[in-house]
Amino acid sequence: MVFQQPQNQFLSLELWPQSLVRNGLISMGVQSLGAVNWSVLTQEEKYSTKILHMPFQLLHRICLSLDILRTDGKDIRMLAEKLGLTILDFECFQKAVTTQKVAGPVTYVLLGERFFAAKPEGTVGDFVDILKVMGREDIVNEINGWSEC
């Protein structure tokens, strides 16, 4: 199964990896994913948006960017650490995701499974705070400047 950009900007539950879907709902408690017109939101509105309500293409790009291992370590490994995972926990997590053959970025699964445990509000602002601590201003700039056009 391959993650694809849905044509109508809504992702049907059939396209979600089964590890993320429980009882017809996304496992982190998100009950509906509505499309957000990101380019018309103020920065405050963007930062108060739940992370999984970001535009799909933007979130997907961010996750792919964090999945690429960097020599400075400012990637999924550092994100996992900031979310409270030890190196061993992260390795087990990564192996589990690979074993379950989840299609899509590992970072997305990490955000879904651990972000809300570490940051109960689960907002883009919480994510941006972590990215700033990680030194990933490139991703912060992408969040701030994203346009659907």
Side-chain angles (χ1 to χ4, degrees), residues 13 105-106 131:
L13 290 177
V106 175
L131 292 170

Side-chain angles (χ1 to χ4, degrees), residues 117-131:
K119 302 286 185 179
E121 292 298 313
T123 66
V124 172
D126 293 330
F127 187 50
V128 165
D129 290 343
I130 293 171
L131 292 170

Side-chain angles (χ1 to χ4, degrees), residues 1 13 34 42-43 53 64 66 113 123 128-130 133-134:
M1 177 165 51
L13 290 177
T42 65
Q43 184 169 333
H53 287 202
L64 289 176
L66 287 167
E113 296 296 325
T123 66
V128 165
D129 290 343
I130 293 171
V133 169
M134 290 174 59

